[in-house]
Structure formats: structure tokens, C-alpha cells
Amino acid sequence: MAKISLREKIKQGIFLLDGAMGTQLIARGIELGRCYDYLNIDSPDTILEIHQSYFQAGSDAVITNTFGANKFALARHGLAEKTTEINIAGARIARQAAKWEKPVLSKVEGYVLGDIGPSGDFLKPLGSLDPVQLKDAFIAQAKALLAGGVDGFIIETMTALDEIAIAIEAVKSVCGELPVLASMAFDKVADGFRTMMGVDVESAVTKMVSLGIDAVGFNCGTVSLNEYVELAKKYVSTVKALEKTLATSDERRVTIYAEPNAGKPELIDGRAVYKVTPEDFAAAAEKIHLLGVNIIGGCCGTGPEHIKAMTRKLKS
């Protein structure tokens, strides 16, 4: 069976992403503070095994192990010059899992999303980043992911509108016809939900939609499962209101995706521990889906068992 494009696939109903990468690396004894992205070079079999486990659990797509693989984030580990190598390797490892593991289960090759995370700094004048240099860094990362064979891009865990706008513009400048998904990380505050930089849901969705991406979403943050459902409801109502103002029928269809954490972590012996069960996570995912969200995965604290439970709940 021929694989249809990712852009078309995500319009056809429930589409399941994978869960956390960092959580799985820690569970395998990888020490905190290490450059997880460099494991694409240093320990590719470990990364491949994690991607395979998510396909086995029911994921339709896996996300490359390149969340922190832009040159600014890699520079903190002395690895800025390895940007291209790390991203190409990350994409190829995920592609290998998609090509060989997923067809065993469903007769169709899986999908790979190239992961792009924040720089870890702020743009001037709040921080030291120059907008042109930041855009160039995201372009370099996107080009390397493209060379490695991704089916699309996912820009995650952003908290500032200026940075997510630059990331989207950078990726769209090189991605051709491949789809782009983008999400921001929200916390629960007195007046609803805001990112660390004070961005509310309406501002986030309006900005992302205006940049012509294929799906807008939320991931990570510090909220409970019930609050993720509340956040999804806010996203859906915001999108519905926005769709009424858009001109054409194509523009009027705004796709939403969600990647909740496994609830709020508890600090135990200095480490964040997520105690949400796979069954509870799947129940929350079902509530999010019933609100109108068809693309769902997991973020911090989730693993293959959470995705497997979600698959049973949403695709049974």
C-alpha cells in the first residue's frame, strides 16, 4: 500500500504522535545534563529502539531526537559545529524505524516529523539573540532534517511569539510542500493559560495561523490532565472564532494538535516524577479528541505504554 503525503494524512482523522524522548533516555540510564541530541551520533541504536517502541505502541509518526539541535542550544555543549551531522543522523534513525518497524504492524511505512525546539535564549533586547542569526540557525537545522528524510516538521515548546514566528518562517523557507506543525507551552494562571513569556491562547493561535502552518497546538507546560482538557477546549473555541474571519474554505480549516505531559510532575529526591497512569492519560486524550483534536501525542513523562493505551482508546 502506497504511503500518502503527511499533509493529506493528518486531514483524514485520528493521527497519533509518539511520546517523550527524554523520559525514555533517563529510564535507560542516560545521565541528566548530557546532550541528548548527540546520542544520534554516539548511541544511535538507543534512539532507534525508542522510535521502534513508539511505532509498536501505535504511533503513526515519530518525532526526531533533535529538539535541542539548533546551533545555539548545541553550543552549550560545545557542539555547534555538529548541527548538520546531528540533525541528518536524527532524521535517518527515525526514517529507519518508520521504514522497517511500522510496515510490520500496518503494512504502511510510518511518518517522521523533524523536531525543532527553542534556542534557549531570548531575542534582543531581552536577550542576546539577533533575529537574523536565529533564523539562519533554524534554517540550517531544517535543511539538515530535510536532507535526512523527514516527512514534515514540528516546532515545539515555544514560549515567545517572536521566536516561534522566526522558527516558522525559517522552516517554511526551505520545506517546500512538506507540512509544518507548531505549538507553544502553556501554564495555568489566574486568567486562563499563558506561556512563560505571558502569551495567551488567542495571541498564540492567531499568530501561528497567520503564518500559514498546517496545524497549531500545545505541548509540555505545567498543567494537570484536567487542565490540558480545559486548554484544548480553549484552543478549539479560539480556532472556531478565528475560522469565521478567514476568507477561503481552505483557510477556514485550522487543524489542532495536542501533546500533553503525563500530568504535573512531583519532585522526589530532586527529580521530576510523573505518576499519571497510561489509562488516565488515555482517558484525557479521549476527552481532548472529542473536543475536536485529531492529532494527539505525549510529552514529558509519557512513554510507549501511554501511547499504547491511547491507541486502544482512540482507535479501537
Side-chain angles (χ1 to χ4, degrees), residues 13-17 60 281-290 293-297 306-316:
I14 296 172
F15 187 84
L16 301 184
L17 305 177
D60 295 302
F281 181 83
E286 182 180 40
K287 292 177 182 177
I288 290 171
H289 167 61
L290 291 174
V293 179
N294 286 336
I295 304 174
I296 307 178
H306 296 83
I307 303 304
K308 186 175 182 178
M310 182 174 68
T311 301
R312 288 197 300 261
K313 179 71 74 172
L314 298 183
K315 290 193 171 184
S316 60

Side-chain angles (χ1 to χ4, degrees), residues 1-314:
M1 185 184 299
K3 186 177 78 168
I4 66 172
S5 73
L6 179 57
R7 175 166 280 154
E8 290 302 313
K9 182 66 175 178
I10 61 177
K11 297 176 182 177
Q12 294 184 353
I14 296 172
F15 187 84
L16 301 184
L17 305 177
D18 59 8
M21 175 61 73
T23 301
Q24 294 304 296
L25 291 172
I26 292 169
R28 286 163 172 76
I30 305 298
E31 62 270 20
L32 290 169
R34 185 170 177 180
C35 180
Y36 291 163
D37 310 275
Y38 192 66
L39 293 172
N40 296 335
I41 308 298
D42 202 36
S43 188
D45 289 346
T46 299
I47 305 304
L48 177 62
E49 178 194 356
I50 293 171
H51 287 322
Q52 289 173 326
S53 71
Y54 280 123
F55 278 130
Q56 291 164 4
S59 296
D60 295 302
V62 294
I63 297 171
T64 59
N65 179 43
T66 55
F67 176 77
N70 62 76
K71 79 169 189 178
F72 292 106
L74 289 174
R76 298 184 186 93
H77 300 278
L79 295 169
E81 76 284 355
K82 297 283 188 181
T83 298
T84 298
E85 182 183 1
I86 289 170
N87 281 281
I88 289 177
R92 287 178 174 170
I93 294 166
R95 180 87 274 147
Q96 181 180 350
K99 185 175 182 179
W100 297 109
E101 189 64 39
K102 188 65 174 176
V104 171
L105 304 166
S106 65
K107 310 302 182 186
V108 179
E109 186 174 333
Y111 295 89
V112 174
L113 282 163
D115 198 15
I116 292 178
S119 64
D121 199 352
F122 301 112
L123 285 156
K124 296 177 180 177
L126 188 60
S128 62
L129 290 179
D130 174 79
V132 174
Q133 292 178 343
L134 180 60
K135 185 174 182 179
D136 287 345
F138 286 138
I139 287 174
Q141 184 179 8
K143 283 182 175 179
L145 289 167
L146 193 61
V150 300
D151 298 298
F153 296 86
I154 185 165
I155 299 165
E156 298 184 289
T157 325
M158 293 288 181
T159 61
L161 284 181
D162 51 7
E163 183 169 23
I164 197 169
I166 288 172
I168 291 169
E169 290 167 355
V171 172
K172 284 180 68 66
S173 73
V174 300
C175 72
E177 294 299 313
L178 299 187
V180 180
L181 290 67
S183 60
M184 302 195 81
F186 291 88
D187 303 316
K188 188 73 168 71
V189 294
D191 62 347
F193 296 93
R194 291 184 181 271
T195 72
M196 181 183 72
M197 299 304 294
V199 181
D200 61 27
V201 172
E202 291 88 347
S203 299
V205 170
T206 300
K207 184 64 175 180
M208 288 189 284
V209 170
S210 74
L211 293 169
I213 59 176
D214 294 84
V216 299
F218 58 86
N219 76 292
C220 209
T222 54
V223 299
S224 67
L225 284 184
N226 287 336
E227 289 166 345
Y228 279 120
V229 176
E230 185 183 344
L231 177 57
K233 187 180 298 184
K234 181 66 174 175
Y235 253 76
V236 170
S237 64
T238 301
V239 162
K240 285 182 177 179
L242 183 61
E243 284 175 334
K244 294 177 181 178
T245 70
L246 300 177
T248 69
S249 58
D250 285 340
E251 287 178 328
R252 293 176 77 91
R253 292 192 292 269
V254 178
T255 301
I256 304 170
Y257 76 96
E259 293 178 290
N261 292 342
K264 281 185 177 180
E266 296 180 24
L267 197 62
I268 299 177
D269 296 328
R271 301 185 72 172
V273 177
Y274 293 86
K275 293 189 173 182
V276 165
T277 66
E279 292 72 25
D280 287 344
F281 181 83
E286 182 180 40
K287 292 177 182 177
I288 290 171
H289 167 61
L290 291 174
L291 289 169
V293 179
N294 286 336
I295 304 174
I296 307 178
C299 202
C300 300
T302 61
E305 64 277 9
H306 296 83
I307 303 304
K308 186 175 182 178
M310 182 174 68
T311 301
R312 288 197 300 261
K313 179 71 74 172
L314 298 183

